[in-house]
Amino acid sequence: MPKPFPFSAIVGQEDMKKALLLAAVEPLLGGVLVMGDRGTGKSTAVRALAELLPKIETRTNCRYNCQPNDPQPACARCQAAGAEKPALVKIRTPMVDLPLGATEDRVCGSLDIEKALVAGERAFEPGLLAAANRGFLYIDEVNLLEDHLVDLLLDAAASGVNVVEREGLSIRHAARFVLVGSGNPEEGDLRPQLLDRFGLSVEVRTIMDLKQRIEVIRRRDDYETDPEAFVASWAKRDIAIRSRVVAARKIMKQVAVPDAILFRLSQLCMRLGIDGMRGELTLMRAGRASAALDARLEVNWTDIEEVAPMVLCHRLRRDPMDEAGTAPRIERALAALDVGHGHA
């Protein structure tokens, strides 16, 4: 099976790439929603990012991707003692595709029917949330997924825990993953309540720049002609991105957000009429991740300006009197703040 298309070889779509990198640095952002035209590289970018991230350490055939020094109570393999404990192994960052027809049992896990019938044992069969632990869970056409499943996934992504209590089972295991949903808005919208729970949202459009379109065709053709050679030719650039993400993760907790920045980002959310506090919290975290990606230990206002559209656009109330769209409304609000306070 050939390696995925390299992340660094994706032409354009800078907002989408930036949002995915921010989520890779700070999983607490709450996932990324990518909406836009078909064939714009949405799924390619997610698979490419998972491929370039560092391998994770776990134990052989662990179904929960347990950390070796912190095995989960639900994982019988990693809880084994002495010589029965499985060997350590390094695996690719998990990248799990959630099919549209998936049931709640398939997502969360359920009673292992085979063991129950054959051996009379009551055992838990882990679901996709266990498989995605410490990695990515990707849902293409998330806008077509049943609302209760989207709600369930967002709950698990936010809490980092999957709880299953049914059929006499009571299981609790880690489910720390970056949720990425994509879809075409022409096929349906997500409910506003669900939209608000995605940390970041970006819109991708078909590239209309002639040179970029030609470059997309060339790179894709080169990749499909000789995948190994193409991936090797972009390896250094992918390694550089991986190094940025790894370094950013290491300094994330040290990145400071000055009071003046908090004051202004709260003003921005109030000016835009953002409901609740998720907008401000995500804006602060995204700004911190952006600073960490640039190897800085303090957030500045430029960080906030860059991430504000992807944090706030999908949280704005629709204004039937404003036909300009959500991004210009955010630009106007940012400009008004700059007039009042000067640019940081």
Side-chain angles (χ1 to χ4, degrees):
M1 186 175 175
K3 288 187 174 182
F5 193 87
F7 190 82
S8 55
I10 295 172
V11 178
Q13 312 297 10
E14 300 303 328
D15 286 347
M16 174 176 65
K17 290 189 285 187
K18 172 98 178 184
L20 291 173
L21 289 175
L22 293 176
V25 171
E26 174 53 290
L28 291 178
L29 282 177
V32 180
L33 178 64
V34 185
M35 298 297 283
D37 302 332
R38 300 184 196 88
T40 45
K42 299 187 288 290
S43 56
T44 299
V46 179
R47 291 186 173 84
L49 180 61
E51 177 68 21
L52 74 76
L53 292 177
K55 291 185 176 181
I56 63 170
E57 190 174 54
T58 184
R59 293 195 180 273
T60 309
N61 296 327
C62 172
R63 303 280 303 277
Y64 299 84
N65 299 325
C66 292
Q67 300 198 42
N69 58 355
D70 187 20
Q72 299 181 54
C75 183
R77 284 189 65 78
C78 294
Q79 288 289 343
E84 293 183 357
K85 193 177 278 293
L88 295 176
V89 63
K90 284 195 172 183
I91 61 171
R92 288 179 181 175
T93 297
M95 165 69 202
V96 175
D97 279 285
L98 190 144
L100 274 184
T103 63
E104 189 170 331
D105 282 354
R106 179 78 182 101
V107 173
C108 298
S110 62
L111 179 70
D112 188 330
I113 300 296
E114 187 176 340
K115 276 190 179 177
L117 293 177
V118 175
E121 294 179 16
R122 183 174 290 170
F124 180 66
E125 174 67 18
L128 297 177
L129 293 183
N133 186 35
R134 302 171 69 191
F136 289 79
L137 184 65
Y138 176 58
I139 316 165
D140 194 15
E141 298 180 325
V142 64
N143 45 337
L144 303 183
L145 197 67
E146 292 181 33
D147 283 352
H148 78 278
L149 278 181
V150 180
D151 220 12
L152 182 156
L153 290 166
L154 287 166
D155 275 341
S159 66
V161 176
N162 178 38
V163 180
V164 180
E165 290 186 341
R166 67 168 77 103
E167 297 162 337
L169 293 170
S170 180
I171 300 291
R172 183 184 182 91
H173 67 78
R176 299 186 185 91
F177 56 88
V178 176
L179 179 64
V180 183
S182 69
N184 184 342
E186 292 178 358
E187 296 169 345
D189 291 323
L190 274 175
R191 283 190 291 122
Q193 297 92 325
L194 297 178
L195 268 178
D196 176 64
R197 297 189 58 189
F198 274 97
L200 308 178
S201 176
V202 291
E203 191 174 342
V204 291
R205 292 292 178 198
T206 302
I207 293 175
M208 297 307 291
D209 180 271
L210 183 59
K211 288 183 179 176
Q212 284 194 341
R213 289 177 74 101
I214 292 170
E215 194 58 29
V216 170
I217 296 167
R218 281 184 175 149
R219 290 183 190 179
R220 193 72 208 183
D221 186 55
D222 289 347
Y223 170 73
E224 291 180 1
T225 302
D226 189 345
E228 296 298 323
F230 185 81
V231 170
S233 69
W234 287 87
K236 284 186 178 177
R237 277 166 275 202
D238 265 9
I239 290 172
I241 296 173
R242 177 193 302 159
S243 300
R244 280 183 67 200
V245 172
V246 171
R249 286 175 171 176
K250 286 180 180 173
I251 66 170
M252 261 297 288
K253 291 183 179 177
Q254 303 168 42
V255 177
V257 185
D259 288 346
I261 298 294
L262 288 176
F263 182 81
R264 291 184 69 185
L265 67 85
S266 289
Q267 276 191 318
L268 176 64
C269 290
M270 290 171 64
R271 185 180 289 270
L272 288 166
I274 302 294
D275 292 331
M277 302 301 293
R278 282 202 188 105
E280 279 144 287
L281 187 60
T282 309
L283 202 50
M284 180 189 71
R285 287 173 173 167
R288 190 186 283 150
S290 181
L293 269 176
D294 286 345
R296 286 182 282 106
L297 293 178
E298 186 171 292
V299 177
N300 59 38
W301 189 243
T302 302
D303 294 317
I304 303 300
E305 287 181 320
E306 286 179 358
V307 300
M310 60 182 77
V311 173
L312 300 178
C313 272
H314 59 302
R315 295 188 163 91
L316 289 180
R317 291 179 183 168
R318 289 181 180 171
D319 183 353
M321 305 301 290
D322 190 340
E323 298 180 353
T326 52
R329 285 170 62 188
I330 292 173
E331 288 172 8
R332 290 200 299 268
L334 286 167
L337 284 181
D338 287 341
V339 170
H341 297 271
H343 199 283

